[in-house]
Amino acid sequence: MKDPIELAAALASFDALWSPRIVTRVNAYDVRIAKVSGEHLWHVHDNTDEFFLVLDGELHVALRDGAGSERTVVLPTGAVFVVPRGVEHKPSAAGGASILMFEPTGTSTVGDRHDDVPAHVDATTGHALR
Amino acid sequence: MKDPIELAAALASFDALWSPRIVTRVNAYDVRIAKVSGEHLWHVHDNTDEFFLVLDGELHVALRDGAGSERTVVLPTGAVFVVPRGVEHKPSAAGGASILMFEPTGTSTVGDRHDDVPAHVDATTGHALR
């Protein structure tokens, strides 16, 4: 059994942006944390919802519906939001943010369908905390 | 699709202790928040891990292994901890705390096996936020 993990210390252990660390697992789900700044990319998870909790800063999540119409939700520190499966979305954080995510183990950061992956985005299923 | 939910506002919307509110759902999982103070009860979830994040205050989780030996982990604000399935545990918070939990929808607050449920503990699978 793992000991408790302080998120502030876990966040202080890495600098990479858009490159989630797996803090712990709950059944077949990962709890991941990430530092983010600037824009991620448009992507879709076809088979899973994706949970966001903002630990620090402000996260924007742009959402596109089936008809291509867009809106953006704003998550201040301490807000939670779930992107339902199948909904195209693009997270961003102009001023930087730290976030916690809850998603099935093996879920890719760039989803099942996505735009070209820019160099600043890590296409990964999450990295171990050191 | 739900709008983002600010946890501070969600926590301010109820007073009941040891009585989780379901903030949102992620696939077949609930994200629940609870206000806690004093002691919960010894219980076990036979078929699921249970994730705790301390939003405010300090949470203690007493743990009992198969041989009956006990230890207590201490979670300050901002710490996370997972109680593995099958592990007997008893949360407590002498000074009060606010916590966030991830667990499969339908999971009972008192688990599958438990001590007598004291009057101050709500045996529930979670309540809707108002």
Side-chain angles (χ1 to χ4, degrees), chain A residues 42 50 52 54 58-64 71-75 81-83 87-93, chain B residues 1 4:
Chain A
W42 284 104
E50 192 170 33
F52 294 91
V54 180
E58 183 177 275
L59 183 74
H60 291 211
V61 183
L63 302 160
R64 214 180 249 162
R71 70 175 179 120
T72 297
V73 294
V74 176
L75 285 71
F81 183 66
V82 173
V83 177
V87 173
E88 236 188 327
H89 60 286
K90 181 172 75 169
S92 64
Chain B
M1 195 183 321

Side-chain angles (χ1 to χ4, degrees), chain B residues 3-20:
Chain B
D3 286 323
I5 295 166
E6 297 198 37
L7 294 180
L11 285 165
S13 74
F14 67 97
D15 291 317
L17 298 173
W18 301 113
S19 183

